[in-house]
Amino acid sequence: MDDLGRAAGGEDGFEGNAQSFRIVASIAVSDARDGEGQAIKGLNLTRRTLNGILKYPWAHGTRGRSKNKWGFYSTEKDIFEWVRTSTPAGARSLIAEIMDWADDITFAIHDLLDFYCAGRVPIDRCKGEQSGERSHLTKGMFQRKVQWLREKAHYENALTEIIQWFPFEPDQRYTGSFEDRAKLYDFSTVLIRMLTSTRAIRLEGATRSVIVDTDARRLVEVLKQFIWEYVIENPDLAVPQNGQRVAVRRVFQELLDASSAKRFYLFPTQYQETISKATKSEYRVRIVADCVSGMTEKELIGFYRRLLGHA
């Protein structure tokens, strides 16, 4: 999406964190009203709440900041500046730091469990020091993270802990029964409690910065390796993923062309009014990106097929 947006003339491109800020600040609908009773765009959140959402509180291209991560688009610049009124430039709020760590924990644990239940991640087959599956995972982990070799024993210990805590053995099949789901819930609860305990995180300094324990951070990073090994880099998923990329590119271009030709009826209903009022090319690009990124995978593929007359 980022490449598509830039190629179409959108200087801000596309970034997930900036899109999240745009959604809550400008796109989402709530029951909030202004003094004249008119609906207010966005969720009408407080300054503190919005500041807590800003994981990367800077614009695209800010000197000295990541080129791949930024927190807002130019369309939300005024809101961003209002939110950051009393916060030092580039500094994250305490809430944002806590949310960042919570986000890491949530995705690391629940992605692992979701894909295990779907039969994609064979964590149970990694049990045992001589497990071939474990050797395969470990090899891939250190190939992706060469810098971890300097502390290889620590990362291997983190992997051992995760595997030992996992409640299913290689000869036990997950059935989705109440008992099986309860076992997975217990596993996730143990991890979450450990990673959110005062031993894992603490607040330090005059600005109360969040300090995450090295062992806790290492554990979360190792949890993520299951998804890298068995999902992201799985060659069996390469073909459908390529098909999804083709669909995204085609839908994006078709809607961009439709916006220029004023064929607003091709857009989903909730975007027709907004795109019809967009006079600048860059703003049309932003709305097309809103539309495409706001679709679920199923919605995107269905829309793609209907656009091409295949449905």
Side-chain angles (χ1 to χ4, degrees), residues 111 115 120-121 144 224-238 241 245:
D111 279 0
F115 282 108
R120 291 287 185 184
V121 175
R144 281 185 295 274
K224 293 177 181 179
Q225 293 306 304
F226 286 94
I227 304 304
W228 276 98
E229 184 67 39
Y230 297 107
V231 180
I232 296 174
E233 295 185 352
N234 186 341
D236 292 338
L237 300 178
Q241 287 171 350
R245 283 191 289 270

Side-chain angles (χ1 to χ4, degrees), residues 19 23 28 42 44 55 69 107 113 117 119 136 146 154 169 174 225 231 242 293:
Q19 188 67 21
I23 288 170
N44 195 33
K55 184 176 179 179
K69 298 289 184 181
F107 281 105
L113 296 185
C117 293
H136 172 77
V146 178
H154 292 295
E169 299 295 328
Y174 174 77
Q225 293 306 304
V231 180
N242 185 70
S293 66

Side-chain angles (χ1 to χ4, degrees), residues 8-308:
E11 293 182 5
D12 286 339
F14 182 89
E15 207 283 328
N17 293 279
Q19 188 67 21
S20 294
F21 188 75
R22 174 168 166 76
I23 288 170
V24 299
S26 302
I27 297 177
V29 177
S30 73
D31 59 357
R33 296 290 185 273
D34 62 19
E36 298 179 356
Q38 299 299 308
I40 296 173
K41 291 183 178 180
L43 297 181
N44 195 33
L45 300 175
T46 65
R47 178 186 276 125
R48 178 173 293 182
T49 301
L50 288 171
N51 205 11
I53 293 169
L54 288 165
K55 184 176 179 179
Y56 305 103
W58 53 81
H60 171 71
T62 300
R63 187 174 181 179
R65 298 295 181 178
S66 171
K67 295 181 179 179
N68 300 319
K69 298 289 184 181
W70 59 96
F72 71 100
Y73 301 128
S74 57
T75 46
E76 282 68 53
K77 184 179 179 181
D78 290 346
I79 300 174
F80 172 82
E81 290 177 346
W82 172 76
V83 168
R84 301 287 293 177
T85 299
S86 302
T87 310
R92 294 197 298 187
S93 69
L94 177 61
I95 294 175
E97 291 198 21
I98 294 172
M99 289 291 290
D100 186 22
W101 180 234
D103 194 48
D104 268 358
I105 294 171
T106 299
F107 281 105
I109 296 174
H110 293 293
D111 279 0
L112 169 61
L113 296 185
D114 287 347
F115 282 108
Y116 168 74
C117 293
R120 291 287 185 184
V121 175
I123 182 174
D124 52 335
R125 298 208 306 269
C126 293
K127 294 211 167 185
E129 293 291 339
Q130 305 304 316
S131 164
E133 197 65 57
R134 181 170 177 168
S135 297
H136 172 77
L137 173 65
T138 303
K139 180 181 178 181
M141 183 170 77
F142 288 115
Q143 285 178 339
R144 281 185 295 274
K145 299 288 187 178
V146 178
Q147 68 274 24
W148 289 4
L149 289 170
R150 294 192 298 269
E151 299 178 280
K152 185 177 181 182
H154 292 295
Y155 285 100
E156 288 179 333
N157 288 340
L159 179 61
T160 297
E161 286 188 77
I162 294 166
I163 293 171
Q164 287 178 342
W165 291 332
F166 194 71
F168 290 93
E169 299 295 328
D171 59 348
Q172 294 177 298
R173 186 171 66 90
Y174 174 77
T175 64
S177 67
F178 177 83
E179 184 62 30
D180 285 357
R181 286 182 284 122
K183 287 180 179 179
L184 290 183
Y185 185 85
D186 288 343
F187 170 72
S188 65
T189 300
V190 167
L191 284 174
I192 291 169
R193 284 176 178 169
M194 186 182 68
L195 293 169
T196 56
S197 70
T198 53
R199 287 180 296 176
I201 58 172
R202 65 183 189 277
L203 304 181
E204 247 183 32
T207 57
R208 307 290 283 172
S209 296
V210 174
I211 306 298
V212 179
D213 179 73
T214 301
D215 289 338
R217 192 174 292 282
R218 188 181 290 121
L219 196 69
V220 166
E221 289 301 316
V222 171
L223 279 165
K224 293 177 181 179
Q225 293 306 304
F226 286 94
I227 304 304
W228 276 98
E229 184 67 39
Y230 297 107
V231 180
I232 296 174
E233 295 185 352
N234 186 341
D236 292 338
L237 300 178
V239 171
Q241 287 171 350
N242 185 70
Q244 290 160 3
R245 283 191 289 270
V246 170
V248 167
R249 286 195 295 268
R250 186 62 183 271
V251 169
F252 185 94
Q253 191 58 54
E254 289 287 339
L255 288 178
L256 192 61
D257 292 344
S259 71
S260 298
K262 298 186 178 181
R263 289 182 288 134
F264 307 127
Y265 54 83
L266 289 181
F267 281 76
T269 305
Q270 65 266 39
Y271 293 97
Q272 289 179 10
E273 180 182 2
T274 308
I275 193 66
S276 67
K277 294 179 179 178
T279 56
K280 295 182 179 180
S281 174
E282 186 171 348
Y283 194 48
R284 289 200 297 269
V285 172
R286 178 60 53 215
I287 297 171
V288 170
D290 290 340
C291 180
V292 177
S293 66
M295 295 181 188
T296 64
E297 180 182 318
K298 184 176 180 180
E299 288 171 340
L300 176 73
I301 297 301
F303 194 79
Y304 170 70
R305 291 176 61 84
R306 291 194 299 277
L307 270 178
L308 299 184

